[in-house]
Amino acid sequence: MASNEYGGPRDADRPAADDRSDYDYVGEDVERPELVADLSERVDGDVRFDTYTREMYATDASAYEVTPIGVVFPTGTDDVASVVSYCAEREIPVLPRGGGTSLAGQAVNEAVVLDFMRYMNDVLDVRPDDQRAHAEAGAVLEELNQLLAPHDLKFAPDPAAGNRSAVGGAIGNNSTGAHSLKYGKTDAYVEECEVVLADGTVTTFGEIEIETLREEANADAEDLLPRIYAGVLDILDEHADEVDARFPDLKRNVSGYNLDRLVEEAESGTVNLARLLAGSEGTLAIVTEATVSLEPVPETKSVTLLTYESVVDAVTDVQHVLEHEPAAVELIDDTLIDLASQTAEFSNVVALLPEETRAALLVEFYAADDDEGREKTTDLVADRVRDDSAQEDRYAFDALEAHDDAERATYWKLRKSGLPILLGRTSDAKHFSFIEDCAIPPEHLPEFVTRFHEILDDNDTFASFYAHAGPGVLHVRPLVNTKTEPGLAAMEDIADRVTDLVVEFGGSVSGEHGDGRARTQWNRKLYGDDLWQAFRDLKTAFDPEWLLNPGQVCGDVSMTENLRFDPEYEFDPHLDPDLNWQNENGFQGMVELCHGCGGCRTSQDTGGGVMCPTYRASEEEITSTRGRANMLRQSMSGDLPDDPTDDEFVDEVLDLCIGCKGCARDCPSEVDMAKLKAEVVHEHHQREGASLRDRLFANVDTLAKLGSATAPVANRLPDLPGARAVMEKTVGIARERSLPSFERETLQDWFDARGGARVPASEAERRAVLFPDTYTNYSHPEIGKAAVQVLEAAGVHVALADRTDSGRPAHSKGFLDKARNTAAANVADLAPEVREGWDVVLVEPSDAVMFQSDYLDLLSGDATETVAANTYGVCEYLDAFALDGAVTWDAQEVALSYHGHCHQKATKKDHHAVGVLRRAGYAVDPVDSTCCGMAGSFGYEAEHHAMSTAIGDILVDQLDDSPGELAVAPGASCRTQLEDMLDEEARDASGLVPSDRESPPTPVELLAAALAD
């Protein structure tokens, strides 16, 4: 396939849609089949009007839900033009959409949705000398910046969702971010746009002289372009004075159409019509490609955290801080500080703040070098931090400085902690985005905050005030319950009164997130009747039939209509939850938790972390956490006709969730899809029964015991002629997979034969019961032997548990009753030992997490909590109690690429092995990797083999990019996948583990190999 230097194929070389997806779901129950047939004939991309797809695109990151007519995934501009011209002839609305990260509801509508991010996502050209880049509308902002990084350039606007939002979306919203003080908004960087007009005409907007506009304008022309020119001239000739008078004088205003920039540019005799599209939310034309200008990456940065006794003190100080010309000024309020202090992730960051801190300003400077950065922060602190209480013009009482990358990242982490904490509420009342980004001149912020608090008090609610204080944009999300009439009334009252304040203070209704369904109705209040009508006239000039994302910016949408949760909302889970749900609203609260930010739609290059491996492999919405969560909620609220336990729903929506638990950590709201899936699949088994294969995998401990007892004969059976084909045909086990082998002497046999513990209990630092999980006991006892060696070298008295099944296999396949019985038996055996001072230690990460976390979901009571609290993975155990400090290490000089287990990552325990391995003498690169894709039994299942290996390919690429020479992984599934996929050199353990094993070593084996003789 021909492509340019930056990987972007031209239309002529672009592969067909069917060749670009490993997973291509087209559901049943198609809406308007004649429309599907017509569009399918006209476009090369995908056309999907099935119920599942339509419902998945009914939501974005806002509080709104509107079911579209259908979704088209165009492969190029020709596809877009074909769809738009066809729909124009039939008066069918069209909505362009990027990542669906919009917060005001502008990415949902009753329209044919054009999803640009599936195929039209390439950066087509970069011209470093001109500081220009050319990209398709669906190109991800952060991927663009990664291509620009070698040239020390960047696309300057930095919206928080930049790692999953698109260039076209940035233009549609006129996006910006934390550094708008320096860079402004997207409109400053849009140079040229290829667009499809409302009638399907393809044209290019860019700079054009006013005289040329006058020559070519014709309001009565048959063609659309002359009428657009006439509409633009009408703004310049008839409304320029009103634009100057009514538009807020702010760096941050994205309300209404971008007329102030148009009028300002016209003074030079030239305007750029591409910039008029910025902030238009797809209502004027559809951008398919764009040329944007770029900015140099700053040489270095410095950060100061100014601390205050109140939020009002902090916002009062903003105007004074701005005199120092910072690149960013971010507010952190008392609500956020209190919430952050209660979380494990942020409590240590909050602990850095002086005790009296009730608010803080994070101030960042760009600098040419470290000396300049330190000078800027020093000047700020000297000017703004009082040195005695009599200084009335100084409001900060202390300051913390950060100059290296790690320190700066720590302070930014605290600032960015706000939204995840707020959005983690599982109550009916939620921190909705409907008035969250008003922009106010900084000098009015103190009074605005004070009076905003009064409005909140009047409505018996509260909100956190944080984010972009420098340009006057405070993110404020009041807590409201839109499921009730009083809550709905409070929502509207707050918005109405706050927008009154905005107008009074010369601010903007939206300084960042756009108009959409949340704020369009307030634009008339902000701009007055004359400009409101001017907006509508301009819309008509561009889109005579109002078919492009109708209702937004200057339309008739209402902020209280089409809400995802309203007083008519009903919830029927179709099941009685079997697991313990400790969060507010329990199972329902978790089902409704996803707010649609799209964090699960990041690639490994732009997002890091585990979530969501199936989306990364397929780039299908239905394989993302957001897609599954939306489908589950909609099936339980009646929007989908399917019962969530039906075969079709379980097969199409939940089947490809691999239970990695990445969403429980990486999702900003911590949606636990693995746990939700377990509930639904359990109920499905109760109603529909379970397959033979599922039952076999749920009982793998019994099978492994049998395999060990009959080894080595059992190990030869899969290699008999035709055996693998029979297994695939009868029970669906992929013939390509390496199957587990079994050892005749189990770990338990070996431990008994050696006479038990070697470290007397009386001389031991600690006592540990090593639980020999199924895999370790029957298939790879050498790993368990290594664990015993290392623990004893660390002075631990080791005993071996009699049981081998943790319950993980049954739990992962949705057999919750069996998992609960197994858990109860293990707790009954181990709780008395733990109460006598013993610890529980496991080698296999998923089994350790089963004890630590999943048992609490299955069982209640002190015994379970006691066992869970005193269970450790083997490296976690060594690290948590500093046991490895007593060991004499003599490690070989081997550089390791460490792939942590996804369950350990989800419970924030993956770092322990890295620390112990480093102290043992190894050089370790902890790879920020996704799930291996094996996921227990998932990778063995024939229908999942392609998905499993597609995920595995991502992991292999990540390991290839690591500087380590040897891959290391603690999980059995991970090592099985890597054994099949890594080349021999990457698997070679350099003699550190048994030479007849082809899978990568575990951390504990490398620790055993590093024990000094």
Side-chain angles (χ1 to χ4, degrees):
M1 180 185 70
S3 65
N4 63 40
E5 179 183 356
Y6 299 96
R10 299 299 185 182
D11 281 354
D13 303 310
R14 190 180 300 279
D18 289 344
D19 296 331
R20 304 185 72 181
S21 172
D22 291 325
Y23 176 73
D24 193 24
Y25 169 72
V26 181
E28 299 176 358
D29 190 22
V30 174
E31 182 80 3
R32 301 179 71 168
E34 76 290 348
L35 189 55
V36 175
D38 287 349
L39 289 175
S40 296
E41 291 179 359
R42 288 167 169 77
V43 302
D44 292 329
D46 306 331
V47 178
R48 300 185 187 173
F49 281 52
D50 60 276
T51 300
Y52 282 10
T53 298
R54 292 170 61 236
E55 291 301 333
M56 277 188 291
Y57 283 79
T59 56
D60 55 7
S62 72
Y64 297 94
E65 182 171 0
V66 183
T67 305
I69 297 169
V71 183
V72 176
F73 302 82
T75 62
T77 299
D78 289 347
D79 275 2
V80 177
S82 295
V83 172
V84 174
S85 59
Y86 175 87
C87 290
E89 292 173 2
R90 292 156 181 79
E91 298 186 353
I92 300 171
V94 178
L95 165 64
R97 174 166 161 146
T101 60
S102 302
L103 290 171
Q106 56 267 58
V108 295
N109 215 327
E110 188 176 353
V112 173
V113 172
L114 294 170
D115 184 335
F116 284 92
M117 295 194 75
R118 182 154 178 75
Y119 300 129
M120 294 181 65
N121 56 16
D122 291 310
V123 176
L124 301 172
D125 189 25
V126 170
R127 304 193 299 276
D129 292 342
D130 298 332
Q131 293 192 189
R132 296 285 189 274
H134 186 66
E136 291 181 301
V140 177
L141 295 178
E142 191 163 321
E143 291 180 358
L144 169 61
N145 279 333
Q146 288 173 348
L147 287 173
L148 298 173
H151 308 292
D152 292 324
L153 295 171
K154 66 177 179 177
F155 178 68
D158 55 349
N163 61 355
R164 67 254 191 203
S165 54
V167 169
I171 295 171
N173 284 350
N174 202 3
S175 296
T176 183
H179 297 91
S180 62
L181 285 172
K182 183 172 180 63
Y183 296 123
K185 300 169 294 188
T186 294
D187 59 357
Y189 303 93
V190 178
E191 303 300 331
E192 195 171 84
C193 288
E194 178 186 77
V195 302
V196 175
L197 302 179
D199 63 353
T201 299
V202 178
T203 190
T204 298
F205 283 157
E207 285 192 355
I208 186 170
E209 293 183 355
I210 303 295
E211 289 306 312
T212 303
L213 280 178
R214 295 195 185 280
E215 291 170 3
E216 299 185 9
N218 183 352
D220 299 319
E222 183 175 340
D223 293 338
L224 197 50
L225 197 56
R227 294 157 67 180
I228 290 172
Y229 290 169
V232 172
L233 286 172
D234 181 67
I235 297 295
L236 297 176
D237 295 341
E238 303 298 330
H239 301 285
D241 291 342
E242 187 73 359
V243 169
D244 285 337
R246 295 299 297 258
F247 265 70
D249 183 18
L250 293 168
K251 288 182 177 290
R252 299 282 287 265
N253 173 34
V254 295
S255 290
Y257 289 128
N258 204 17
L259 303 188
D260 52 344
R261 177 170 283 276
L262 179 73
V263 169
E264 180 182 352
E265 288 185 348
E267 294 177 2
S268 68
T270 301
V271 294
N272 190 321
L273 295 187
R275 293 172 181 168
L276 182 59
L277 302 181
S280 65
E281 301 181 359
T283 63
L284 298 181
I286 296 175
V287 175
T288 56
E289 296 181 10
T291 298
V292 296
S293 55
L294 311 171
E295 289 286 334
V297 174
E299 291 294 330
T300 189
K301 306 170 185 177
S302 63
V303 167
T304 302
L305 204 63
L306 300 175
T307 62
Y308 300 86
E309 294 173 347
S310 71
V311 173
V312 172
D313 279 354
V315 295
T316 301
D317 207 22
V318 168
Q319 58 187 314
H320 304 294
V321 173
L322 291 175
E323 295 173 2
H324 291 260
E325 299 183 350
V329 181
E330 301 284 295
L331 174 67
I332 305 169
D333 80 340
D334 53 340
T335 300
L336 190 153
I337 291 171
D338 288 342
L339 290 172
S341 68
Q342 299 168 24
T343 67
E345 186 170 2
F346 300 114
S347 59
N348 61 329
V349 184
V350 175
L352 299 174
L353 301 174
E355 187 175 348
E356 315 86 68
T357 304
R358 304 311 302 149
L361 291 179
L362 186 156
V363 185
E364 183 169 80
F365 294 99
Y366 288 169
D369 53 41
D370 287 341
D371 288 342
E372 183 186 5
R374 292 178 185 277
E375 182 180 349
K376 288 183 176 183
T377 56
T378 299
D379 289 347
L380 175 68
V381 172
D383 180 50
R384 299 313 315 151
V385 178
R386 61 178 183 254
D387 51 25
D388 64 70
S389 59
Q391 293 173 313
E392 296 180 358
D393 63 335
R394 297 186 184 182
Y395 302 93
F397 68 85
D398 204 348
L400 290 75
E401 296 185 26
H403 297 282
D404 64 36
D405 291 343
E407 289 178 325
R408 293 198 304 267
T410 296
Y411 294 156
W412 274 105
K413 185 178 181 181
L414 176 61
R415 148 64 185 91
K416 294 178 179 180
S417 68
L419 192 58
I421 295 170
L422 293 176
L423 297 182
R425 288 184 177 273
T426 57
S427 59
D428 287 336
K430 297 184 182 298
H431 291 279
F432 289 118
S433 57
F434 64 95
I435 199 68
E436 84 287 353
D437 68 335
C438 297
I440 303 296
E443 62 269 22
H444 296 305
L445 281 176
E447 187 174 358
F448 175 73
V449 169
T450 300
R451 291 171 66 180
F452 202 134
H453 273 296
E454 292 172 356
I455 294 171
L456 295 175
D457 290 343
D458 290 346
N459 284 278
D460 195 26
T461 190
F462 72 97
S464 179
F465 290 70
Y466 67 100
H468 318 306
V473 180
L474 299 184
H475 289 339
V476 187
R477 289 180 176 235
L479 186 69
V480 293
N481 181 5
T482 59
K483 293 180 180 178
T484 68
E485 293 291 351
L488 207 60
M491 178 184 184
E492 191 158 26
D493 180 66
I494 292 168
D496 189 20
R497 293 169 62 184
V498 168
T499 51
D500 284 345
L501 290 182
V502 167
V503 174
E504 178 183 342
F505 292 132
S508 168
V509 170
S510 177
E512 184 168 8
H513 299 146
D515 295 323
R517 296 177 177 275
R519 286 180 284 273
T520 286
Q521 74 184 72
W522 308 118
N523 278 340
R524 177 175 253 170
K525 178 193 291 189
L526 178 64
Y527 292 113
D529 290 341
D530 288 348
L531 282 183
W532 174 258
Q533 188 58 49
F535 290 159
R536 294 175 67 83
D537 291 343
L538 184 67
K539 164 72 171 171
T540 302
F542 272 85
D543 181 16
E545 302 302 324
W546 284 51
L547 296 177
L548 300 181
N549 200 10
Q552 324 298 308
V553 183
C554 58
D556 57 357
V557 293
S558 167
M559 66 172 293
T560 56
E561 294 177 352
N562 298 114
L563 288 165
R564 196 181 306 186
F565 303 111
D566 61 23
E568 296 181 2
Y569 175 85
E570 296 180 356
F571 184 84
D572 178 5
H574 298 271
L575 56 85
D576 292 324
D578 189 82
L579 297 171
N580 295 329
W581 294 87
Q582 303 299 329
N583 54 283
E584 190 171 359
N585 269 11
F587 177 71
Q588 178 178 349
M590 184 60 70
V591 171
E592 295 174 350
L593 183 56
C594 174
H595 62 280
C597 74
C600 49
R601 285 172 49 96
T602 57
S603 71
Q604 190 66 32
D605 291 336
T606 63
V610 177
M611 182 186 72
C612 181
T614 50
Y615 176 81
R616 289 173 177 173
S618 68
E619 297 185 353
E620 286 277 358
E621 179 77 13
I622 202 170
T623 64
S624 70
T625 302
R626 181 174 75 175
R628 295 184 182 110
N630 273 327
M631 292 291 92
L632 196 57
R633 174 183 53 79
Q634 288 165 326
S635 70
M636 294 180 177
S637 65
D639 292 330
L640 276 177
D642 293 357
D643 183 309
T645 65
D646 287 350
D647 286 339
E648 182 181 5
F649 188 92
V650 171
D651 289 344
E652 299 297 349
V653 178
L654 298 179
D655 183 54
L656 290 179
C657 170
I658 60 178
C660 68
K661 295 180 177 283
C663 48
R665 172 178 176 176
D666 296 341
C667 168
S669 296
E670 298 184 351
V671 174
D672 193 340
M673 183 50 60
K675 187 175 177 180
L676 289 170
K677 177 184 177 180
E679 284 279 21
V680 176
V681 173
H682 169 72
E683 184 67 20
H684 178 262
H685 289 333
Q686 300 293 103
R687 298 182 186 183
E688 308 295 337
S691 69
L692 172 61
R693 186 183 65 190
D694 284 349
R695 293 187 182 278
L696 288 174
F697 281 131
N699 288 278
V700 71
D701 187 74
T702 300
L703 294 177
K705 184 176 183 179
L706 178 62
S708 175
T710 58
V713 174
N715 298 331
R716 301 190 186 118
L717 295 178
D719 296 326
L720 294 175
R724 290 178 179 273
V726 171
M727 284 192 296
E728 181 169 297
K729 187 172 182 178
T730 56
V731 292
I733 295 177
R735 68 182 72 191
E736 302 92 339
R737 278 296 177 195
S738 299
L739 298 178
S741 60
F742 306 102
E743 296 293 329
R744 189 61 174 262
E745 183 185 58
T746 68
L747 178 63
Q748 290 172 321
D749 293 338
W750 169 83
F751 192 80
D752 289 342
R754 81 196 286 260
R758 294 288 173 86
V759 177
S762 59
E763 300 176 9
E765 288 291 321
R766 300 189 72 83
R767 294 177 294 165
V769 177
L770 183 66
F771 189 93
D773 65 88
T774 300
Y775 181 84
T776 303
N777 192 56
Y778 298 113
S779 292
H780 284 287
E782 72 275 7
I783 301 174
K785 295 174 187 178
V788 173
Q789 283 182 274
V790 173
L791 289 171
E792 291 183 338
V796 178
H797 175 74
V798 179
L800 220 61
D802 294 330
R803 301 177 58 84
T804 57
D805 185 4
S806 70
R808 169 63 68 199
H811 187 275
S812 68
K813 302 306 294 182
F815 294 93
L816 298 185
D817 290 340
K818 175 176 172 53
R820 180 176 292 107
N821 291 338
T822 301
N826 286 336
V827 168
D829 278 1
L830 294 171
E833 306 290 336
V834 173
R835 290 191 179 108
E836 291 180 5
W838 289 76
D839 306 305
V840 180
V841 177
L842 293 97
V843 172
E844 178 60 33
S846 61
D847 292 287
V849 173
M850 185 74 188
F851 275 75
Q852 294 167 329
S853 176
D854 298 286
Y855 278 14
L856 299 175
D857 295 335
L858 291 164
L859 303 169
S860 301
D862 291 341
T864 304
E865 293 176 6
T866 298
V867 170
N870 291 278
T871 294
Y872 306 89
V874 62
C875 289
E876 176 191 1
Y877 188 57
L878 295 169
D879 193 36
F881 296 106
L883 298 172
D884 58 304
V887 179
T888 301
W889 301 106
D890 185 21
Q892 293 186 24
E893 293 185 5
V894 180
L896 309 177
S897 298
Y898 178 74
H899 164 63
H901 194 283
C902 50
H903 286 186
Q904 287 183 322
K905 291 179 180 179
T907 52
K908 301 180 177 66
K909 297 178 183 296
D910 56 305
H911 63 283
H912 294 292
V914 175
V916 179
L917 286 169
R918 284 175 174 168
R919 291 193 293 274
Y922 294 107
V924 186
D925 176 42
V927 181
D928 186 11
S929 50
T930 187
C931 180
C932 68
M934 194 67 188
S937 64
F938 181 86
Y940 287 107
E941 296 164 356
E943 71 275 22
H944 297 147
H945 182 260
M947 174 63 79
S948 174
T949 54
I951 298 170
D953 284 337
I954 298 173
L955 173 59
V956 170
D957 288 344
Q958 292 168 330
L959 291 172
D960 286 345
D961 291 338
S962 169
E965 58 188 281
L966 175 64
V968 182
S973 290
C974 312
R975 297 195 307 281
T976 300
Q977 181 79 295
L978 293 174
E979 178 181 345
D980 286 348
M981 300 188 72
L982 282 179
D983 59 39
E984 184 176 351
E985 182 179 352
R987 292 198 312 261
D988 178 22
S990 302
L992 295 176
V993 295
S995 59
D996 60 344
R997 213 178 78 210
E998 296 183 350
S999 61
T1002 63
V1004 74
E1005 287 176 290
L1006 295 183
L1007 292 174
L1011 292 174
D1013 294 334

